[in-house]
Amino acid sequence: MLLSRRDFCASELRCTLLGQGFEPVAVQGVIEEFSARGYLDDERYALHFVSQRAERGQGPLRIQRELEQLGVAAPLIEAALTAGEDWARRARELRIRRFGLAPPVHWPDKAKQARFLQYRGFSNDHIRAALGSEVSDALS
């Protein structure tokens, strides 16, 4: 019933089932069987999670932290975050959508926009790319 609504990672499903009172041995057996049948796949879950969160405007640092909290393995997180996303472009698009096309000129505006992107989970490199001259070059 749970997997019919959305994807789960193995650790998230384990916590949910244990929280509902199922025996740990039974939960482990179900997770192994579901993994073998392909119903439960942490790699697929991580890729889908990254794609979904990136569409919402979240950056890689925030997504990584959320996946770590869910118990997804670090190599799967790293692979999902590097699988085709252009995070600098995402940061530029988010900055433009929120603050307009013109890049910030004055320090208070730059700081405000940098804080916004940092809160969303973008790295310093992505923020510099979004605030710098690359913005006007990319749109020309």
Side-chain angles (χ1 to χ4, degrees):
M1 182 72 167
L2 287 174
L3 291 175
S4 67
R5 295 183 192 150
R6 67 172 181 91
D7 268 346
F8 282 82
C9 63
S11 63
E12 185 181 20
L13 183 60
R14 179 180 295 109
C15 288
T16 300
L17 293 175
L18 290 173
Q20 291 179 358
F22 290 98
E23 294 294 321
V25 174
V27 170
Q28 187 59 35
V30 167
I31 288 174
E32 289 172 3
E33 181 179 341
F34 282 7
S35 295
R37 291 185 180 200
Y39 301 153
L40 197 60
D41 183 357
D42 281 358
E43 182 177 6
R44 180 184 65 219
Y45 177 82
L47 287 169
H48 183 262
F49 190 93
V50 168
S51 175
Q52 182 184 33
R53 293 304 198 272
E55 286 296 320
R56 290 184 186 173
Q58 293 180 357
L61 300 177
R62 186 170 180 176
I63 295 170
Q64 179 181 5
R65 186 174 54 248
E66 289 179 13
L67 284 170
E68 287 171 349
Q69 289 173 348
L70 289 169
V72 176
L76 295 177
I77 296 171
E78 184 64 32
L81 288 172
T82 59
E85 282 294 332
D86 182 359
W87 295 107
R89 180 185 56 80
R90 289 262 184 205
R92 275 193 304 272
E93 290 172 353
L94 184 61
R95 189 204 66 78
I96 290 169
R97 190 171 65 221
R98 173 81 168 157
F99 298 104
L101 189 57
V105 177
H106 302 292
W107 175 246
D109 294 332
K110 287 182 181 182
K112 179 179 180 180
Q113 293 181 23
R115 281 192 309 272
F116 171 75
L117 292 172
Q118 186 178 29
Y119 169 76
R120 300 296 285 218
F122 289 96
S123 72
N124 290 334
D125 292 336
H126 301 141
I127 293 169
R128 277 193 291 275
L131 296 178
S133 63
E134 293 88 352
V135 175
S136 59
D137 293 345
L139 298 173
S140 298

